[in-house]
Amino acid sequence: MLVLVLVAGGCGRCGFQPDPGVKVVVPAMPTTLDWSYSDPNSWANYPVMLATQRGLTTLAPDHSVQPGLAERWERSRTASSQEVYTFHLRQDVRWSDGVTPLTAQDFVIGWHRALQGRERGELADLVGAETVLALQEKGASPEELKAALARTGVEALGPHTLRVTLARPRSYFLARLANVYLFFPAPSAFLADRSEEEVRDYFDRPREGHPLALGPYRVESWDRAGERVRLVHNPHSAFQPPLGPGERPAPVLTLLKSEIGPALYERGRVDFVFVDSAVALQGRRPDDLQREPLLSTYFLAFNTERPPLDRPEVRRAIARAIDREALMKGLLPAARPSHVFLPPELPGAASPEEAARLPHFSPDRARAELAGVPGLDRPLRLVFRAGDSFVPEVAIAERLAAQLAAVGVRVTLDARSDFSAEVARRTAEGPRAYDLYLRRMGADYAHPNTFFTLFERNGLHQTGWETQRGGEPMDRFEQLLDAADAEPDEARSRALYAQAQAVLLDEMAVIAPLYHPDRYFRTRASLLGVDVDPFNFLSLRELRLGGTLAEAR
């Protein structure tokens, strides 16, 4: 503790000396500022991207899709069942130089670049995208690739009209546009005819007001060695934070990474910090502690290929043996125990009647169903992530083992720093080596599709359920998802997703949901509008100063 205090109180090259602006501690620095190119660790880039850019759509507080850069749109289908969106862009939007207007060509350039980036599969729904992806896989020439890109389903019909054609209807598309930054526009006027090396330099070496931004902030500098990104207010943004009496935008905002964030916050050196320790949340709770419910679910997964868990009736009985309320009691300042996979705040989540039909706490029934089951004479190995987290994994694992022991199921606990590798590891006989694992998954966008993709045939669920009953339940599950994704009527689409959830949780009992996590953080009372969005990303779009912090800065 003495060392932490000395470091936190120091200055010089450590980077915590007093300087202008708001300071926010983030879990990781961005890996790139090029929102079209990105990389598989894209979560680290979101705080900067969301503060500086915007999408065609945005989300209301109830997670419904609302206009963003597009003021309106029309939706139609072709005779061959392709889905066409015609977006009409706002004409008052300027890039951060205050001169360059947003145009439809900015989306064409941005999406073409995204189709060549590290996460290009995210744009696979576009007409022609599969051809572009295949050409890149086989190392096609730049000329072939350019011609294929020109045939993809993103077209500028005019300066402010964008036409997007999807290979098939996708009910989640508008929700993805709001939050997945690969769909954000790029300043085509400054990128056209530049080499790839020059484009990378444009994005990742901020200088002289570039790269341009649309949001209320732009990047002024990126200190990779010092692990700091400095943002400055963009007065030309059409998306200014709402200001009340005595409030003003924060002129300077610095994102920094630090292992001693809580100590820096206590010393008044930073203005925002996540509380990433579940243990810390069980102690005295500071007055400035805030909580954001996430669109996220923490669940128990079963190895469906390994006896005795290769039988769905055994998996269902274990799901019924879990008392979620008791499991979470006292572990966090607040908790949302649940036996349902889709969070209730998610548009399209199951109705209360549908949720009631899913396996839930019924200890007597569970005990009767598990009595005498062959294979339960051995302990089941429960794997979970080692290390501290805002999810109280150790306590949940210990309580879960105790609850299952009460119905005759012995469990051994295995905390792993190599969690992902361990749940994927197979035994010499073929099945994966674990019996049970604990995992949190969160939404990438406000739509049921984002939860279900993990459990499709090519998803990274590592449960083996694609092999069960010759693959028929998996086929039916994917057919339900395809039908729901293509259904334009929201009520019918929701009903199809509910059926898919029932296959996953009840009929096949692949997982047992436990609770919907929340994220905790601390922020100064005078720092207004800073928040964590429901996707677990730091949100700075409405950041503003009021009171003493505004006066001090």
Side-chain angles (χ1 to χ4, degrees):
M1 179 60 71
L2 177 61
V3 171
L4 291 179
V5 171
L6 290 174
V7 172
C11 57
R13 294 297 296 170
C14 67
F16 301 119
Q17 67 273 22
D19 61 356
V22 174
K23 298 185 185 68
V24 172
V25 177
V26 293
M29 281 286 99
T31 59
T32 180
L33 301 180
D34 183 350
W35 55 90
S36 299
Y37 200 73
S38 190
D39 63 58
N41 292 320
S42 60
W43 67 271
N45 304 323
Y46 267 95
V48 173
M49 305 308 187
L50 296 179
T52 60
Q53 304 305 326
R54 278 296 186 277
L56 283 164
T57 62
T58 190
L59 296 178
D62 64 355
H63 309 311
S64 63
V65 174
Q66 301 296 326
L69 293 174
E71 62 182 9
R72 58 188 173 86
W73 53 84
E74 293 94 35
R75 184 178 181 180
S76 62
R77 292 193 187 185
T78 68
S80 56
S81 295
Q82 295 174 339
E83 189 165 45
V84 180
Y85 291 87
T86 303
F87 294 98
H88 303 276
L89 306 182
R90 289 178 54 170
Q91 298 188 32
D92 61 338
V93 176
R94 297 288 184 273
W95 290 91
S96 51
D97 60 0
V99 176
T100 306
L102 173 75
T103 69
Q105 189 63 22
D106 295 340
F107 290 93
V108 175
I109 291 292
W111 293 14
H112 282 181
R113 291 198 67 249
L115 273 166
Q116 302 170 79
R118 294 191 183 104
E119 293 187 281
R120 48 184 174 261
E122 294 284 349
L123 281 80
D125 288 329
L126 290 178
V127 159
E130 290 187 2
T131 300
V132 172
L133 300 180
L135 286 172
Q136 291 179 87
E137 287 297 317
K138 73 173 190 177
S141 68
E143 292 75 20
E144 286 182 282
L145 189 58
K146 184 177 180 180
L149 286 168
R151 295 191 295 270
T152 57
V154 51
E155 309 167 75
L157 301 185
H160 298 99
T161 306
L162 178 73
R163 183 166 64 193
V164 176
T165 305
L166 306 185
R168 58 193 64 82
R170 288 292 179 250
S171 60
Y172 53 76
F173 184 66
L174 292 173
R176 296 192 78 211
L177 296 179
N179 203 61
V180 179
Y181 62 69
L182 291 164
F183 291 99
F184 292 172
S188 59
F190 294 88
L191 301 182
D193 301 322
R194 292 195 184 207
S195 69
E196 189 59 34
E197 182 177 348
E198 290 172 329
V199 171
R200 298 284 176 80
D201 182 76
Y202 173 85
F203 282 106
D204 287 343
R205 290 186 59 207
R207 57 194 182 277
E208 300 176 352
H210 293 266
L212 296 182
L214 294 172
Y217 292 92
R218 65 172 178 83
V219 178
E220 183 180 69
S221 63
W222 180 15
D223 180 358
R224 292 171 177 79
E227 298 190 297
R228 297 163 77 96
V229 176
R230 183 182 174 97
L231 307 178
V232 295
H233 178 239
N234 170 20
H236 303 294
S237 175
F239 303 94
Q240 298 295 335
L243 299 179
E247 299 174 2
R248 65 186 178 95
V252 179
L253 173 62
T254 301
L255 308 184
L256 59 96
K257 182 177 181 295
S258 174
E259 301 299 326
I260 57 168
L264 294 173
Y265 187 87
E266 292 291 349
R267 297 281 295 179
R269 300 290 187 179
V270 300
D271 305 300
F272 173 99
V273 65
F274 285 102
V275 181
D276 281 336
S277 168
V279 175
L281 289 169
Q282 295 174 25
R284 183 188 66 82
R285 295 163 194 165
D287 294 337
D288 57 7
L289 183 69
Q290 297 191 38
R291 164 178 167 258
E292 173 61 37
L294 302 180
L295 291 177
S296 179
T297 302
Y298 190 69
F299 59 87
L300 174 71
F302 301 98
N303 183 346
T304 66
E305 295 181 294
R306 191 175 188 192
L309 299 177
D310 56 344
R311 298 165 54 190
E313 62 269 24
V314 175
R315 302 192 294 266
R316 270 195 304 274
I318 290 177
R320 292 189 180 108
I322 303 170
D323 183 349
R324 278 89 171 166
E325 296 285 344
L327 194 69
M328 300 305 303
K329 186 176 181 180
L331 295 183
L332 296 166
R336 296 179 291 154
S338 178
H339 68 286
V340 177
F341 187 41
L342 300 182
E345 303 86 359
L346 186 73
S351 67
E353 294 76 18
E354 291 162 339
R357 292 194 289 269
L358 298 174
H360 53 277
F361 184 48
S362 181
D364 293 338
R365 183 175 179 181
R367 190 176 294 107
E369 291 173 338
L370 291 169
V373 169
L376 282 180
D377 53 338
R378 70 171 179 88
L380 304 181
R381 187 166 69 101
L382 172 61
V383 176
F384 58 97
R385 294 182 188 275
D388 205 1
S389 162
F390 66 92
V391 174
E393 302 215 38
V394 175
I396 290 175
E398 291 174 346
R399 290 183 176 186
L400 190 59
Q403 288 190 7
L404 294 182
V407 294
V409 178
R410 290 183 297 148
V411 173
T412 61
L413 305 182
D414 190 0
R416 308 287 302 207
S417 57
D418 60 344
F419 173 82
S420 296
E422 179 59 21
V423 298
R425 182 173 65 87
R426 292 185 177 273
T427 63
E429 294 76 24
R432 292 165 181 82
Y434 77 92
D435 291 300
L436 310 161
Y437 73 68
L438 291 170
R439 177 175 175 178
R440 185 190 75 84
M441 73 162 299
D444 291 328
Y445 42 94
H447 194 278
N449 173 272
T450 189
F451 279 87
F452 288 123
T453 53
L454 176 67
F455 294 97
E456 292 181 326
R457 191 174 305 277
N458 296 321
L460 298 177
H461 50 88
Q462 305 291 2
T463 63
W465 87 284
E466 69 280 2
T467 68
Q468 303 302 289
R469 298 180 186 169
E472 186 277 331
M474 172 68 82
D475 291 341
R476 189 156 30 88
F477 175 76
E478 292 188 331
Q479 289 166 8
L480 286 167
L481 296 183
D482 284 342
D485 292 345
E487 177 55 63
D489 182 84
E490 290 186 10
R492 288 196 290 266
S493 177
R494 189 203 57 73
L496 290 166
Y497 285 123
Q499 292 178 48
Q501 182 172 223
V503 172
L504 187 69
L505 269 60
D506 187 12
E507 178 187 343
M508 297 306 295
V510 179
I511 62 171
L514 302 178
Y515 87 112
H516 302 301
D518 305 321
R519 195 70 186 271
Y520 290 85
F521 58 92
R522 298 179 67 185
T523 184
R524 306 294 176 202
S526 302
L527 191 62
L528 309 175
V530 64
D531 199 0
V532 178
D533 71 17
F535 310 104
N536 199 21
F537 299 130
L538 177 65
S539 177
L540 304 168
R541 290 176 167 179
E542 296 190 358
L543 174 64
R544 56 205 188 273
L545 301 180
T548 57
L549 187 60
E551 298 164 5
R553 298 296 192 250

